[in-house]
Amino acid sequence: MAGAPLPVRDGLGPDRIRMPAGVEVRTVAEFLMQAHPDNSAHWLSLIDGGGVVDEHGRVVNRETRYAPTRFVYFYREPPPETRVPFDIEILHRDDRLVVIDKPHFLATIPRGAHITETAVVRLRRELDLPDLTPAHRLDRMTAGVLMFLIRREDRRPYQELFVSQKVAKEYEAIAAHDPAIEFPRTVSSRIVKEHGVMTATEEPGEPNSETLIDLVETRGLHARYRLRPRTGRTHQLRLHMSSLGLPILGDNYYPDFRRREPDDFSTPLRLLARAVEFTDPHSGEVRRFESRRALQW
């Protein structure tokens, strides 16, 4: 968490809670116990142990006055998680970058039910790099090339490459083969993703997503495709393949959502971030990193 007054601990940054205006309490402790009545004893224990601090890193005690609109920070103990039974392969490491070949089923960053079983937390622990931060993200079900930044001062120039779409991305997917569909072709649409909704949708209106799709090879009823997104909307590649009537193998989101058990690692999404290529903002050289993984037919 940028600017947090507590350091990363065991791969995880601190959590924070905002103290809203209009709450009639006198102290921070009263607010926390009122907001979380089932955990009152926990909050008192955390406060008494010096485990809650304000935005300036000052330890909160039982008499610290409530400060509307400000934040308090603390470490949360994550619940046990099912381990993703696949290793992370390091493709490249230098003074600024760590580039990995992310396995399927491993989220990039902590979110929802996936906290410790994420690429960034695993790498921080394994490489002893507490400030490691992703330059971009891959969703949990997508495997392949993922870049991380070692130093805080390098975050802006590298992350800006992705924000400004100056990184050429290449993906591979396995899906059905339809001889009636001609390739290469460009698919563009307006993708809308509502907060809290699992899936995104394509809706009428000005397109905000574009993908160039090419057919690489066929094997019976299936084919391997090369996908080069020119934008980076949520689930863009999965939606664009599904819109052609060619949903990616193993996709339990499109065209229809099917819930998957958290310990089911039997059917990976056949989508791979094959390569990224960009001009390095520090050296000026063109750099390309490629996945060593092969998708299962």
Side-chain angles (χ1 to χ4, degrees):
M1 184 180 297
L6 292 173
V8 170
R9 186 180 72 178
D10 195 25
L12 286 168
D15 279 3
R16 68 179 186 179
I17 292 178
R18 184 177 183 270
M19 296 178 283
V23 178
E24 296 184 3
V25 295
R26 185 179 65 86
T27 66
V28 174
E30 289 177 15
F31 161 70
L32 292 173
M33 290 188 292
Q34 178 177 297
H36 307 277
D38 293 339
N39 293 318
S40 294
H42 167 74
W43 283 113
L44 287 178
S45 175
L46 198 61
I47 289 171
D48 291 343
V52 180
V53 303
D54 66 13
E55 295 174 347
H56 304 287
R58 295 178 298 226
V59 175
V60 170
N61 59 43
R62 294 196 186 200
E63 295 303 315
T64 300
R65 296 195 64 82
Y66 186 73
T69 75
R70 312 309 292 180
F71 290 91
V72 290
Y73 292 78
F74 59 97
Y75 294 110
R76 189 191 304 272
E77 292 298 326
E81 297 177 38
T82 301
R83 178 170 173 80
V84 177
F86 308 109
D87 294 330
I88 296 174
E89 181 180 354
I90 305 294
L91 296 174
H92 172 86
R93 179 177 176 179
D94 58 32
D95 292 339
R96 292 188 170 93
L97 299 177
V98 173
V99 185
I100 69 166
D101 217 348
K102 187 182 83 66
H104 295 284
F105 301 103
L106 189 68
T108 300
I109 62 172
R111 186 177 182 183
H114 308 286
I115 306 298
T116 57
E117 281 304 294
T118 56
V120 68
V121 173
R122 275 200 192 180
L123 289 168
R124 284 172 175 172
R125 292 173 172 178
E126 294 170 8
L127 303 179
D128 193 23
L129 294 172
D131 290 331
L132 196 72
T133 303
H136 61 118
R137 299 180 190 178
L138 293 178
D139 70 30
R140 179 172 171 265
M141 299 304 292
T142 303
V145 179
L146 182 60
M147 286 174 44
F148 291 83
L149 307 169
I150 294 174
R151 307 186 307 182
R152 290 177 180 268
E153 56 266 35
D154 292 324
R155 291 176 185 177
R156 182 180 295 275
Y158 284 98
Q159 289 175 341
E160 180 60 30
L161 290 176
F162 289 90
V163 173
S164 59
Q165 300 177 12
K166 294 180 180 178
V167 178
K169 302 176 185 178
E170 182 179 315
Y171 290 75
E172 286 184 8
I174 305 295
H177 174 231
D178 185 347
I181 301 177
E182 294 184 0
F183 293 98
R185 67 189 302 125
T186 297
V187 179
S188 59
S189 65
R190 181 168 188 80
I191 294 177
V192 176
K193 175 70 166 63
E194 296 183 13
H195 180 71
V197 179
M198 298 292 288
T199 56
T201 57
E202 292 180 295
E203 299 184 0
E206 183 71 21
N208 60 6
S209 63
E210 182 177 299
T211 307
L212 177 62
I213 304 175
D214 203 358
L215 178 65
V216 177
E217 65 172 314
T218 60
R219 294 188 187 180
L221 299 177
H222 295 97
R224 181 162 61 97
Y225 298 88
R226 179 182 300 112
L227 301 90
R228 283 173 284 182
R230 291 174 177 158
T231 53
R233 312 301 296 189
T234 299
H235 295 174
Q236 175 177 321
L237 303 181
R238 299 161 76 166
L239 272 167
H240 283 175
M241 289 297 291
S242 183
S243 71
L244 296 175
L246 306 172
I248 299 172
L249 290 186
D251 193 347
N252 65 314
Y253 274 48
Y254 306 99
D256 301 306
F257 176 74
R258 303 181 306 280
R259 191 165 298 280
R260 187 195 298 267
E261 293 300 319
D263 59 349
D264 180 5
F265 305 107
S266 62
T267 310
L269 176 71
R270 289 3 179 251
L271 179 62
L272 176 70
R274 171 60 66 193
V276 296
E277 185 173 313
F278 59 94
T279 299
D280 191 284
H282 288 280
S283 68
E285 66 175 315
V286 176
R287 309 185 76 174
R288 181 179 174 88
F289 300 107
E290 297 187 9
S291 172
R292 298 170 185 160
R293 299 182 182 274
L295 292 174
Q296 302 173 9
W297 284 78

